[in-house]
Amino acid sequence: MEIPLPHYLSATLDRVREDTSGAVADYIPELAAADPDPLAVALCTATGHVYSAGDDGVEFSIQSIAKPFAYAVALQEVGVEKVLATVGMEPSGEAFNELSLDGGTHRPVNPMINAGAIAVSQLINGEDSTVDDRVELLRHYFSRLAGRDLRIDERVTGSELATADRNLALAHMLRSYGIIADTAEDAVAGYVRECSMLVTVKDLAVMGATLALGGRQPVTGDQVLDPRVCRQVQSVMASAGMYDGAGKWMAGVGIPAKSGVAGGLLGTLPGQLGIATFSPRLDGSGNSVRGAEVFRILSDDMGLHLMSALPSRGSAVRSIRSRGLATVIRLQGGLGFTGAEDFLSTVAAHELTTTRVVVDMRRVNDTNSFGRAMVLEGLRRIREDGHRVAVIDPDGLLGDRRLDDGTQVETSEDA
Ligand code: GLN
């Protein structure tokens, strides 16, 4: 069987292809000279399947899409507390190159704008790091996220550094407030080099999927980042990733995203997907025109909007039946709060008449700690009511099956 996704993605690109509105970024000479026409899209699923269409082999500089990943590396390497002391997490509602500093602390308001990203970059590899070592650590992380060795386009770096007055001004200001220690020149050189990392849409889709999947790169299986880091990064992306267009983006598209001035656009759908597009012409906020359009179409067609999550249909309790001396409760799907609540309320409403109660977990595919704790507490109470309790849990989804009273729930082979 041929999977119809690449065909669907191609057809989606055809729907936006004729739109030549917007313009390539002109404040970086190397980008001003870039071909404006390439168009590409890629998706990476939780199982590591990558689907793509269009100019999916063309490399372009990552630009501001480096920001969420550099933020992730800083969180991973130096911890949340230190990072939050340096940069806030409120949307600025302003353009990417505005000097948006918190009135009281003078911290940049978030890591998705240039001021914030320059400050974050300083945290990586320690304050005493050379620019080269700092960038190399980032390149190493970005390569693990992409699953291949990424390189830096020094021509883009040189070209941007030759016209970097704005970023130098931001760095001088950060330095004057003691937010960064490096010279403004070094701070900007490091930041601009990280923006010059070359990627394709496929790289970005896989990197985004890694954020969406709690830091586990779905193609290589490499656990690159901690789940909490990924949660933090995507939260900030959701509110600030699209700059002054962030609110409209969240309402219309509903996918945490980050754009870059070379024309890349990255989206992450928590637990599900990484998505990336490439098309160099930008709108007034510096976001890719056709890229954003492709995101809008995919979000609508595929039902990806975060806020339109379907209510989990059906219940976590597949069946509850008495067989001889045992009542067998079959569970299914994901056991988070909602699933575990369904288990507890179903059991509470059911009159248990048998001596044995067996909970069959074989159709459950995932749990979280809250869901596990609720199910285990339910089992403890069933036992307290005088029943013998056992679980069928060959994949160990309930963890060590320890109850509040220190005992373990027995396992059962058969129902
Ligand atoms: N390197 C670019 C800059 O600092 C990145 C901006 C962007 O992609 N929005 O201006």
Side-chain angles (χ1 to χ4, degrees):
M1 184 200 76
E2 203 188 322
I3 299 184
L5 264 170
H7 176 76
Y8 164 71
L9 292 176
S10 281
T12 304
L13 294 184
D14 288 341
R15 286 171 65 185
V16 306
R17 197 176 301 278
E18 302 309 319
D19 184 353
T20 55
S21 61
V24 293
D26 58 2
Y27 73 104
I28 301 174
E30 198 67 26
L31 296 184
D35 178 2
D37 289 325
L39 177 64
V41 60
L43 302 180
C44 176
T45 67
T47 44
H49 295 138
V50 180
Y51 301 98
S52 59
D55 303 301
D56 55 4
V58 175
E59 289 190 316
F60 52 92
S61 53
I62 190 167
Q63 296 299 340
S64 274
I65 306 169
K67 288 170 176 149
F69 296 110
Y71 185 48
V73 174
L75 290 163
Q76 184 76 26
E77 291 278 318
V78 305
V80 181
E81 208 177 319
K82 181 129 191 243
V83 174
L84 292 187
T86 304
V87 58
M89 50 180 148
E90 298 305 332
S92 71
E94 292 180 316
F96 66 88
N97 54 7
E98 255 345 290
L99 182 65
S100 304
L101 302 184
D102 181 276
T105 60
H106 299 127
R107 288 177 317 181
V109 291
N110 73 61
M112 300 297 143
I113 53 170
N114 288 15
I118 292 169
V120 163
S121 169
Q122 289 287 286
L123 296 171
I124 290 160
N125 206 37
E127 265 191 0
D128 303 332
S129 175
T130 62
V131 172
D132 281 353
D133 289 348
R134 188 167 279 149
V135 174
E136 185 50 27
L137 182 64
L138 282 171
R139 198 188 64 79
H140 181 71
Y141 261 103
F142 285 24
S143 298
R144 279 176 69 194
L145 288 164
R148 74 175 183 108
D149 203 31
L150 300 180
R151 64 194 173 93
I152 289 169
D153 187 337
E154 298 294 348
R155 276 198 324 197
V156 173
T157 306
S159 165
E160 184 168 350
L161 283 179
T163 56
D165 296 313
R166 182 85 180 212
N167 283 330
L168 283 167
L170 297 181
H172 278 294
M173 196 62 99
L174 292 172
R175 213 174 117 80
S176 79
Y177 287 125
I179 308 282
I180 62 171
D182 268 15
T183 63
E185 285 72 17
D186 274 359
V188 172
Y191 161 71
V192 165
R193 287 190 75 203
E194 100 195 20
C195 291
S196 309
M197 209 92 65
L198 290 178
V199 289
T200 66
V201 274
K202 290 198 216 178
D203 294 326
L204 284 182
V206 177
M207 293 169 81
T210 308
L211 285 181
L213 300 167
R216 187 170 182 278
Q217 213 269 26
V219 181
T220 61
D222 185 7
Q223 186 74 43
V224 187
L225 300 165
D226 292 343
R228 271 191 181 262
V229 164
C230 297
R231 188 179 84 178
Q232 172 74 17
V233 172
Q234 290 180 94
S235 304
V236 178
M237 264 171 72
S239 66
M242 298 299 272
Y243 311 120
D244 39 351
K248 205 166 139 200
W249 177 266
M250 199 24 93
V253 181
I255 299 173
K258 186 73 202 73
S259 61
V261 286
L265 186 50
L266 166 85
T268 67
L269 202 62
Q272 296 188 52
L273 279 179
I275 309 170
T277 56
F278 173 51
S279 171
R281 291 189 197 87
L282 310 177
D283 65 15
S285 303
N287 301 325
S288 167
V289 175
R290 293 189 301 188
E293 197 47 40
V294 169
F295 265 82
R296 250 173 238 118
I297 295 172
L298 295 184
S299 173
D300 269 358
D301 280 5
M302 300 168 73
L304 302 180
H305 197 299
L306 268 186
M307 305 305 170
S308 64
L310 291 173
S312 45
R313 269 182 294 220
S315 74
V317 178
R318 186 178 165 82
S319 63
I320 176 162
R321 282 197 201 113
S322 306
R323 285 198 184 161
L325 293 181
T327 299
V328 180
I329 305 168
R330 294 206 160 82
L331 301 183
Q332 63 185 3
L335 270 193
F337 165 75
T338 318
E341 190 278 334
D342 185 46
F343 165 69
L344 295 178
S345 55
T346 305
V347 174
H350 187 92
E351 205 183 331
L352 291 172
T353 51
T354 57
T355 34
R356 282 187 81 216
V357 174
V358 179
V359 175
D360 183 350
M361 299 277 294
R362 283 175 296 184
R363 281 179 185 261
V364 173
N365 48 32
D366 205 2
T367 63
N368 66 20
S369 58
F370 197 84
R372 282 193 295 277
M374 278 175 70
V375 169
L376 288 171
E377 176 57 15
L379 295 178
R380 191 188 67 78
R381 291 182 183 204
I382 295 171
R383 199 166 70 181
E384 210 172 62
D385 289 343
H387 304 275
R388 270 188 61 199
V389 176
V391 292
I392 305 177
D393 183 22
D395 296 330
L397 288 169
L398 282 178
D400 66 6
R401 311 185 314 280
R402 203 174 295 278
L403 303 185
D404 244 12
D405 57 14
T407 63
Q408 262 186 355
V409 180
E410 5 168 331
T411 53
S412 169
E413 296 289 305
D414 68 306

Short mmCIF file of all heavy atoms in Angstrom, two decimals, residues 27 63-64 67 87 92 95-100 108 110-121 160 166-168 170-171 174 191-192 194-195 243 258 261:
data_model
loop_
_atom_site.label_atom_id
_atom_site.label_comp_id
_atom_site.label_asym_id
_atom_site.label_seq_id
_atom_site.Cartn_x
_atom_site.Cartn_y
_atom_site.Cartn_z
N TYR A 27 17.24 43.01 5.15
CA TYR A 27 18.24 43.64 6.02
C TYR A 27 19.50 42.80 6.19
O TYR A 27 20.48 43.23 6.76
CB TYR A 27 17.61 44.01 7.38
CG TYR A 27 17.35 42.83 8.29
CD1 TYR A 27 18.17 42.56 9.37
CD2 TYR A 27 16.27 41.97 8.05
CE1 TYR A 27 17.94 41.49 10.20
CE2 TYR A 27 16.04 40.90 8.88
CZ TYR A 27 16.87 40.66 9.95
OH TYR A 27 16.63 39.58 10.76
N GLN A 63 17.81 30.74 11.22
CA GLN A 63 17.46 32.07 11.76
C GLN A 63 16.74 31.95 13.10
O GLN A 63 17.17 31.19 13.94
CB GLN A 63 16.68 32.89 10.72
CG GLN A 63 17.51 33.20 9.48
CD GLN A 63 18.76 34.04 9.80
OE1 GLN A 63 18.86 34.69 10.82
NE2 GLN A 63 19.75 34.00 8.90
N SER A 64 15.64 32.66 13.26
CA SER A 64 15.03 32.72 14.60
C SER A 64 14.46 31.40 15.08
O SER A 64 14.10 31.29 16.25
CB SER A 64 13.92 33.75 14.62
OG SER A 64 14.47 35.01 14.88
N LYS A 67 15.93 29.99 18.09
CA LYS A 67 15.64 30.50 19.43
C LYS A 67 14.99 29.47 20.36
O LYS A 67 15.46 29.29 21.49
CB LYS A 67 14.78 31.77 19.34
CG LYS A 67 15.59 32.96 18.83
CD LYS A 67 14.72 34.15 18.50
CE LYS A 67 15.59 35.35 18.10
NZ LYS A 67 14.94 36.21 17.13
N VAL A 87 15.79 35.68 31.58
CA VAL A 87 14.83 36.04 30.54
C VAL A 87 13.43 35.61 30.97
O VAL A 87 13.25 34.52 31.53
CB VAL A 87 15.24 35.43 29.17
CG1 VAL A 87 15.37 33.93 29.24
CG2 VAL A 87 14.28 35.82 28.07
N SER A 92 5.72 39.69 24.03
CA SER A 92 6.02 41.12 23.98
C SER A 92 4.99 41.85 23.14
O SER A 92 4.76 43.04 23.31
CB SER A 92 7.41 41.35 23.38
OG SER A 92 7.38 41.06 22.00
N ALA A 95 7.69 43.58 17.54
CA ALA A 95 8.49 42.94 16.50
C ALA A 95 9.68 42.20 17.12
O ALA A 95 10.07 42.48 18.25
CB ALA A 95 8.96 43.99 15.51
N PHE A 96 10.26 41.27 16.33
CA PHE A 96 11.32 40.41 16.87
C PHE A 96 12.56 41.18 17.30
O PHE A 96 13.29 40.74 18.18
CB PHE A 96 11.69 39.31 15.87
CG PHE A 96 12.34 39.79 14.59
CD1 PHE A 96 13.72 39.96 14.51
CD2 PHE A 96 11.57 40.06 13.47
CE1 PHE A 96 14.32 40.38 13.33
CE2 PHE A 96 12.17 40.49 12.29
CZ PHE A 96 13.54 40.66 12.22
N ASN A 97 12.80 42.34 16.66
CA ASN A 97 14.05 43.04 16.98
C ASN A 97 13.82 44.25 17.89
O ASN A 97 14.65 45.13 17.99
CB ASN A 97 14.78 43.43 15.70
CG ASN A 97 13.90 44.23 14.77
OD1 ASN A 97 12.78 44.60 15.13
ND2 ASN A 97 14.40 44.52 13.58
N GLU A 98 12.67 44.29 18.58
CA GLU A 98 12.42 45.36 19.55
C GLU A 98 13.20 45.10 20.83
O GLU A 98 13.46 43.96 21.19
CB GLU A 98 10.93 45.35 19.92
CG GLU A 98 10.02 46.41 19.37
CD GLU A 98 10.64 47.64 18.77
OE1 GLU A 98 11.20 48.43 19.55
OE2 GLU A 98 10.53 47.82 17.55
N LEU A 99 13.52 46.18 21.52
CA LEU A 99 14.17 46.03 22.81
C LEU A 99 13.08 45.95 23.86
O LEU A 99 12.72 46.94 24.48
CB LEU A 99 15.09 47.23 23.08
CG LEU A 99 15.86 47.17 24.39
CD1 LEU A 99 16.85 46.02 24.38
CD2 LEU A 99 16.59 48.48 24.65
N SER A 100 12.52 44.72 24.04
CA SER A 100 11.42 44.58 24.99
C SER A 100 11.97 44.06 26.31
O SER A 100 12.23 42.87 26.46
CB SER A 100 10.38 43.60 24.45
OG SER A 100 9.93 44.02 23.19
N PRO A 108 15.04 40.71 29.35
CA PRO A 108 14.23 40.63 28.14
C PRO A 108 12.94 39.87 28.47
O PRO A 108 12.97 38.93 29.27
CB PRO A 108 15.09 39.81 27.18
CG PRO A 108 16.48 39.93 27.70
CD PRO A 108 16.37 40.10 29.18
N ASN A 110 10.98 37.81 26.80
CA ASN A 110 10.89 36.39 26.44
C ASN A 110 12.06 35.98 25.54
O ASN A 110 12.74 36.85 24.98
CB ASN A 110 9.52 36.05 25.81
CG ASN A 110 9.37 36.59 24.41
OD1 ASN A 110 10.13 36.22 23.52
ND2 ASN A 110 8.42 37.49 24.19
N PRO A 111 12.30 34.67 25.40
CA PRO A 111 13.47 34.21 24.64
C PRO A 111 13.24 34.11 23.14
O PRO A 111 14.14 33.70 22.42
CB PRO A 111 13.73 32.83 25.23
CG PRO A 111 12.40 32.36 25.69
CD PRO A 111 11.61 33.56 26.10
N MET A 112 12.05 34.47 22.67
CA MET A 112 11.76 34.33 21.24
C MET A 112 12.07 35.62 20.47
O MET A 112 12.07 35.63 19.25
CB MET A 112 10.27 33.96 21.03
CG MET A 112 9.87 32.66 21.69
SD MET A 112 10.76 31.24 21.03
CE MET A 112 10.98 30.27 22.49
N ILE A 113 12.27 36.71 21.20
CA ILE A 113 12.69 37.95 20.54
C ILE A 113 14.21 38.04 20.60
O ILE A 113 14.85 37.35 21.40
CB ILE A 113 12.07 39.19 21.23
CG1 ILE A 113 12.36 39.16 22.74
CG2 ILE A 113 10.57 39.27 20.96
CD1 ILE A 113 12.00 40.44 23.46
N ASN A 114 14.80 38.89 19.76
CA ASN A 114 16.26 38.93 19.68
C ASN A 114 16.92 39.23 21.02
O ASN A 114 17.90 38.59 21.39
CB ASN A 114 16.70 39.95 18.63
CG ASN A 114 16.41 39.47 17.22
OD1 ASN A 114 15.65 38.52 17.04
ND2 ASN A 114 17.01 40.11 16.24
N ALA A 115 16.39 40.23 21.75
CA ALA A 115 17.02 40.60 23.02
C ALA A 115 17.08 39.39 23.94
O ALA A 115 18.13 39.10 24.56
CB ALA A 115 16.23 41.73 23.69
N GLY A 116 16.00 38.62 24.00
CA GLY A 116 15.95 37.43 24.85
C GLY A 116 16.90 36.35 24.35
O GLY A 116 17.57 35.68 25.14
N ALA A 117 16.95 36.17 23.04
CA ALA A 117 17.79 35.11 22.48
C ALA A 117 19.27 35.42 22.68
O ALA A 117 20.07 34.51 22.92
CB ALA A 117 17.47 34.93 21.00
N ILE A 118 19.63 36.70 22.59
CA ILE A 118 21.04 37.07 22.80
C ILE A 118 21.41 36.78 24.26
O ILE A 118 22.48 36.24 24.55
CB ILE A 118 21.27 38.56 22.44
CG1 ILE A 118 21.10 38.75 20.92
CG2 ILE A 118 22.66 39.02 22.88
CD1 ILE A 118 21.04 40.20 20.46
N ALA A 119 20.49 37.07 25.17
CA ALA A 119 20.75 36.81 26.59
C ALA A 119 20.82 35.30 26.86
O ALA A 119 21.69 34.84 27.61
CB ALA A 119 19.68 37.46 27.45
N VAL A 120 19.94 34.53 26.26
CA VAL A 120 19.93 33.07 26.46
C VAL A 120 21.23 32.46 25.96
O VAL A 120 21.83 31.59 26.59
CB VAL A 120 18.72 32.43 25.73
CG1 VAL A 120 18.91 30.93 25.56
CG2 VAL A 120 17.43 32.72 26.49
N SER A 121 21.67 32.94 24.81
CA SER A 121 22.87 32.40 24.20
C SER A 121 24.08 32.51 25.15
O SER A 121 24.93 31.62 25.22
CB SER A 121 23.09 33.15 22.89
OG SER A 121 24.31 32.89 22.35
N GLU A 160 25.31 38.91 7.86
CA GLU A 160 24.47 39.50 8.90
C GLU A 160 25.31 40.35 9.87
O GLU A 160 24.87 41.41 10.31
CB GLU A 160 23.71 38.41 9.67
CG GLU A 160 22.78 39.04 10.70
CD GLU A 160 21.77 38.07 11.32
OE1 GLU A 160 21.64 36.93 10.83
OE2 GLU A 160 21.12 38.49 12.29
N ARG A 166 21.47 46.80 14.71
CA ARG A 166 20.31 46.65 15.60
C ARG A 166 20.60 45.66 16.73
O ARG A 166 20.36 45.95 17.90
CB ARG A 166 19.15 46.14 14.74
CG ARG A 166 17.88 45.98 15.49
CD ARG A 166 17.19 47.31 15.51
NE ARG A 166 15.94 47.25 16.21
CZ ARG A 166 14.89 48.00 15.89
NH1 ARG A 166 14.96 48.83 14.89
NH2 ARG A 166 13.79 47.93 16.58
N ASN A 167 21.13 44.47 16.33
CA ASN A 167 21.43 43.47 17.36
C ASN A 167 22.55 43.93 18.29
O ASN A 167 22.55 43.63 19.48
CB ASN A 167 21.76 42.12 16.71
CG ASN A 167 20.50 41.40 16.24
OD1 ASN A 167 19.43 41.57 16.84
ND2 ASN A 167 20.62 40.62 15.18
N LEU A 168 23.53 44.67 17.72
CA LEU A 168 24.60 45.20 18.58
C LEU A 168 24.02 46.18 19.59
O LEU A 168 24.40 46.19 20.76
CB LEU A 168 25.66 45.90 17.72
CG LEU A 168 26.62 44.94 17.00
CD1 LEU A 168 27.43 45.69 15.94
CD2 LEU A 168 27.56 44.27 18.00
N LEU A 170 21.03 46.10 20.83
CA LEU A 170 20.35 45.30 21.86
C LEU A 170 21.38 44.74 22.86
O LEU A 170 21.18 44.78 24.07
CB LEU A 170 19.59 44.13 21.23
CG LEU A 170 18.45 44.45 20.27
CD1 LEU A 170 17.81 43.15 19.76
CD2 LEU A 170 17.39 45.31 20.93
N ALA A 171 22.49 44.24 22.30
CA ALA A 171 23.51 43.62 23.17
C ALA A 171 24.15 44.66 24.09
O ALA A 171 24.37 44.40 25.28
CB ALA A 171 24.57 42.93 22.32
N LEU A 174 21.72 45.26 26.86
CA LEU A 174 21.71 44.14 27.81
C LEU A 174 22.94 44.19 28.71
O LEU A 174 22.88 43.92 29.91
CB LEU A 174 21.67 42.80 27.06
CG LEU A 174 20.38 42.49 26.30
CD1 LEU A 174 20.57 41.23 25.44
CD2 LEU A 174 19.21 42.29 27.26
N TYR A 191 25.29 34.65 18.72
CA TYR A 191 23.86 34.56 18.38
C TYR A 191 23.65 34.45 16.87
O TYR A 191 22.88 33.61 16.39
CB TYR A 191 23.13 35.79 18.96
CG TYR A 191 21.81 36.04 18.32
CD1 TYR A 191 20.73 35.19 18.56
CD2 TYR A 191 21.64 37.10 17.44
CE1 TYR A 191 19.51 35.41 17.94
CE2 TYR A 191 20.42 37.32 16.81
CZ TYR A 191 19.37 36.47 17.06
OH TYR A 191 18.17 36.67 16.43
N VAL A 192 24.38 35.27 16.11
CA VAL A 192 24.20 35.27 14.65
C VAL A 192 24.69 33.95 14.04
O VAL A 192 24.09 33.42 13.10
CB VAL A 192 24.90 36.50 14.02
CG1 VAL A 192 25.04 36.35 12.51
CG2 VAL A 192 24.11 37.77 14.35
N GLU A 194 24.57 31.05 15.51
CA GLU A 194 23.56 30.00 15.79
C GLU A 194 22.39 30.15 14.81
O GLU A 194 21.77 29.16 14.42
CB GLU A 194 23.15 30.01 17.27
CG GLU A 194 21.86 30.71 17.59
CD GLU A 194 21.65 31.03 19.08
OE1 GLU A 194 22.61 31.07 19.86
OE2 GLU A 194 20.49 31.28 19.44
N CYS A 195 22.09 31.39 14.40
CA CYS A 195 21.01 31.63 13.42
C CYS A 195 21.39 31.17 12.01
O CYS A 195 20.54 31.08 11.13
CB CYS A 195 20.67 33.12 13.35
SG CYS A 195 19.88 33.77 14.83
N TYR A 243 5.64 36.50 17.43
CA TYR A 243 5.83 37.94 17.67
C TYR A 243 4.49 38.67 17.78
O TYR A 243 3.58 38.22 18.45
CB TYR A 243 6.70 38.58 16.57
CG TYR A 243 7.95 37.82 16.31
CD1 TYR A 243 8.23 37.28 15.07
CD2 TYR A 243 8.87 37.61 17.34
CE1 TYR A 243 9.40 36.59 14.83
CE2 TYR A 243 10.04 36.91 17.11
CZ TYR A 243 10.29 36.40 15.86
OH TYR A 243 11.43 35.71 15.64
N LYS A 258 7.26 28.79 15.48
CA LYS A 258 8.35 29.76 15.47
C LYS A 258 8.77 29.98 14.04
O LYS A 258 8.96 29.03 13.29
CB LYS A 258 9.53 29.23 16.28
CG LYS A 258 10.65 30.22 16.45
CD LYS A 258 10.26 31.30 17.44
CE LYS A 258 11.06 32.56 17.24
NZ LYS A 258 10.68 33.30 16.04
N VAL A 261 13.54 34.46 9.58
CA VAL A 261 13.50 35.39 8.44
C VAL A 261 14.04 34.81 7.14
O VAL A 261 13.92 35.43 6.09
CB VAL A 261 14.22 36.73 8.72
CG1 VAL A 261 13.41 37.61 9.63
CG2 VAL A 261 15.62 36.52 9.23
#
